[in-house]
Amino acid sequence: MKNLNSLIGLEKIKNQITEHIDYIEFLKLRKKKGLKDEEKITLHSVFTGNPGTGKTTVVKLLGKIYQKMGLLSKGHLHEVDRADLVGEFIGQTAPKVKEAIEKARGGILFIDEAYALTRSKEDSKDYGREVIEVLIKEMSDGPGDIAIMAAGYPKEMEDFINFNPGLKSRFKYYFHFDDYTPDELILIAEYAAEKRSIIVNPKAKEYINKLLIDAYRDRDHTFGNARYAYSLIDEGKMNMGLRLIKLPNVKRLSGKTLSTITLADVKKIKAGKKKKIIRIPIDEELLKIATNELKALIGMNHIKAEVNDMIKLVRYYRETGKDVLNKFSIHTIFTGNPGTGKTTLARIMGKIYKSLGLLERGHVVETGREGLVAGYTGQTAIKTKAKLDEAMGGVLFIDEAYALSDGGQNSFGKEAIEVILKHMEDKRGKFAIIAAGYPDNMDVFLHANPGLKSRFDRVWQFYDYAADTLLKIAIQMFADENLVADKDAKKFLLEYLNGLYEKRDKYFGNARSVRKIVEQAVKKQNLRMASLPSEERTTTMMETVTILDLKEIAIEQKDDKKRMGFR
């Protein structure tokens, strides 16, 4: 316990373990007094946290603590991972797991990155399942004198626990290790220097502290924590050694000189880690495909002009050697009614961004409120982050994004917006967000958080299509079905679409309404052809949509409106 309490940071863990041990002592006391209690003393635990947060160190100490408490006979640690437990062929896995359990008997079986055992939920041939079944059997009715402890990243370990219903009931204690704060990382670096008999001069110390603070700010789930702090001292020591060994009088240098890291030694660490600016050439073939798709869209001339201007600017910046990624924030708001082409354009923009080298992958992940917001406290941030991680290198398209701002200050949607904002800042240039919805609602969305409006550089308005544009869309859709509307059909359709346009409201379906009409007209035309004897059908007839195919749809839709409501 003295060793545990001397560790830097981990205050929450220290308190939790102290209470955990006190409670076990309480259960032992009740048992000693002969009180009947169905609750068994079990030591199986789950440890979650990023690398270098002290999980293995604490587990080793727990082994010694449990041994001194008489709960384990040896208190040693036997550490394994998936490779140590899973066999290559049928019949090899169970013996490997049982062997690991027997080696750990009397102490702790520590399974690092335990979530790797649940690699595939669908693959019934994955032997990781067999490992879990053997572990559950040991925890249920094994001879005891063992503590099984599983560790890994928080999100992945949650999936691991939920993989098999038996795991949740067998693992009784859960310990979460937070990332070390910058102050704690600085103390760890000082401790590492002391352990290695290294002196860090004031300027070098100041620089190392800055590296630690910057690394903490930029951290993700792979952040090394204490390992990173130790690595700075080790790399500084190595750079010092390489500098001094070249001196002609190195053998006559004092112990202090041979132990002192200077600013020059630690500056080399940053220089070595500095990322090169990767200049990806424009993929002309993909750009041509994407711009042709853009040109094929009917209407949207003002948006097409903006996209073409952006392409020109990227070419200019590349020709003049400017850093393109820092010149563009590609997060965009799309406002407009349904069926105005927002989703279609988002998919095309993913290709354009990739072809220009603004995004690595250019894929589009489509989602809405339901894909980001969970039903319980604490789950929304995890769900939103998972969706953002999926979109890295591409576009996250959030349809009806305004739904995230519903529900007031304490809604889970607000939590999702906060996570999105942080990623927009921290992962700038690594992905794009396109948020779409009705114009009025999107204005409410942009004011849901003070930081939102400043993060979106562009707002593109998608206007309702006029009747003549809707007719062009219909003609194109017919062409996709190898059909042509005759003169009378076009005239009738234009009049019908003009009526829809004149009576439209904010829920007007635009191209979606046209698609519905076209699909029904194609069906009517096909049925009309099917009712004719094959010898009477001509190629022209089979490729032509007439006014007959459209009039019936107009009558049906009129009747549908009359029948709306409860009878």
Side-chain angles (χ1 to χ4, degrees), residues 26-155:
F26 171 70
L27 292 178
K28 284 172 67 182
L29 180 62
R30 281 173 58 85
K31 191 176 180 181
K32 191 176 180 181
K33 295 286 184 181
L35 295 170
K36 289 183 179 180
D37 196 337
E38 289 185 2
E39 185 176 0
K40 293 180 181 178
I41 296 174
T42 177
L43 307 175
H44 310 308
S45 309
V46 172
F47 291 75
T48 61
N50 288 336
T53 45
K55 297 187 293 294
T56 307
T57 303
V58 170
V59 170
K60 285 178 180 176
L61 290 172
L62 275 177
K64 294 176 182 178
I65 290 167
Y66 290 153
Q67 191 265 331
K68 293 295 181 185
M69 292 176 71
L71 299 170
L72 294 173
S73 59
K74 298 176 184 175
H76 66 293
L77 180 78
H78 181 57
E79 187 173 348
V80 294
D81 58 18
R82 179 186 167 95
D84 299 313
L85 299 173
V86 176
E88 292 183 38
F89 306 105
I90 295 172
Q92 289 185 338
T93 296
K96 285 185 80 171
V97 181
K98 287 173 183 174
E99 183 186 354
I101 288 170
E102 290 312 313
K103 283 183 180 178
R105 186 82 63 194
I108 294 173
L109 179 64
F110 182 63
I111 309 168
D112 199 15
E113 297 181 4
Y115 51 82
L117 297 172
T118 59
R119 185 173 288 168
S120 172
K121 291 184 180 180
E122 290 77 27
D123 186 4
S124 58
K125 295 178 182 177
D126 182 34
Y127 300 134
R129 292 169 173 267
E130 192 177 348
V131 176
I132 291 169
E133 287 164 7
V134 176
L135 291 174
I136 288 173
K137 183 165 176 50
E138 171 62 36
M139 289 190 279
S140 301
D141 52 24
D145 194 20
I146 189 171
I148 295 175
M149 299 189 176
Y153 297 119
K155 171 65 173 67

Side-chain angles (χ1 to χ4, degrees), residues 136-383:
I136 288 173
K137 183 165 176 50
E138 171 62 36
M139 289 190 279
S140 301
D141 52 24
D145 194 20
I146 189 171
I148 295 175
M149 299 189 176
Y153 297 119
K155 171 65 173 67
E156 286 81 351
M157 287 306 291
E158 184 185 347
D159 294 340
F160 166 73
I161 292 298
N162 292 327
F163 183 82
N164 186 307
L167 286 172
K168 196 170 247 183
S169 60
R170 284 2 178 251
F171 285 111
K172 190 164 183 182
Y173 302 107
Y174 292 79
F175 301 93
H176 177 67
F177 290 66
D178 292 320
D179 287 333
Y180 287 107
T181 64
D183 287 344
E184 290 167 348
L185 290 168
I186 289 166
L187 288 174
I188 290 167
E190 289 173 1
Y191 177 73
E194 186 182 329
K195 278 191 76 176
R196 284 152 173 70
S197 299
I198 291 295
I199 301 164
V200 183
N201 77 16
K203 286 187 177 179
K205 183 179 178 181
E206 188 180 327
Y207 194 83
I208 285 174
N209 293 352
K210 184 179 183 302
L211 290 181
L212 289 167
I213 293 166
D214 289 347
Y216 179 83
R217 282 177 176 155
D218 296 337
R219 75 193 189 284
D220 57 17
H221 71 286
T222 62
F223 178 52
N225 284 284
R227 294 179 195 173
Y228 178 68
Y230 269 80
S231 74
L232 293 182
I233 299 300
D234 289 338
E235 288 183 60
K237 179 185 173 186
M238 184 179 71
N239 291 336
M240 172 189 68
L242 293 173
R243 171 175 57 82
L244 294 176
I245 201 69
K246 293 173 184 174
L247 298 176
N249 63 336
V250 63
K251 291 182 179 178
R252 296 193 297 274
L253 295 175
S254 67
K256 185 178 180 182
T257 304
L258 291 170
S259 303
T260 302
I261 292 175
T262 66
L263 179 61
D265 299 325
V266 291
K267 273 198 168 182
K268 284 185 179 178
I269 299 170
K270 189 70 174 177
K273 290 182 183 291
K274 200 170 185 180
K275 286 185 179 178
K276 289 182 179 179
I277 296 173
I278 300 170
R279 302 193 184 279
I280 305 171
I282 293 174
D283 186 337
E284 297 292 352
E285 189 177 342
L286 179 60
L287 182 61
K288 186 177 180 181
I289 291 168
T291 50
N292 283 341
E293 287 179 11
L294 182 68
K295 286 175 190 173
L297 294 179
I298 295 166
M300 297 190 208
N301 292 332
H302 61 299
I303 292 173
K304 289 176 184 176
E306 283 204 47
V307 174
N308 287 327
D309 285 347
M310 182 190 75
I311 293 169
K312 287 177 189 174
L313 279 174
V314 172
R315 286 192 185 281
Y316 170 70
Y317 289 142
R318 288 198 177 282
E319 287 166 9
T320 54
K322 292 183 181 178
D323 183 5
V324 177
L325 292 177
N326 286 325
K327 287 286 181 182
F328 283 92
S329 173
I330 49 184
H331 304 307
T332 313
I333 295 288
F334 285 4
T335 69
N337 288 335
T340 45
K342 299 186 293 295
T343 305
T344 303
L345 183 66
R347 291 168 185 164
I348 294 171
M349 291 309 298
K351 293 177 187 176
I352 289 174
Y353 290 148
K354 181 184 178 181
S355 66
L356 294 173
L358 298 177
L359 291 176
E360 287 182 22
R361 296 169 62 196
H363 65 298
V364 179
V365 176
E366 297 175 29
T367 190
R369 179 187 166 94
E370 70 286 347
L372 303 169
V373 175
Y376 302 98
T377 304
Q379 291 183 337
T380 292
I382 295 168
K383 195 172 182 181

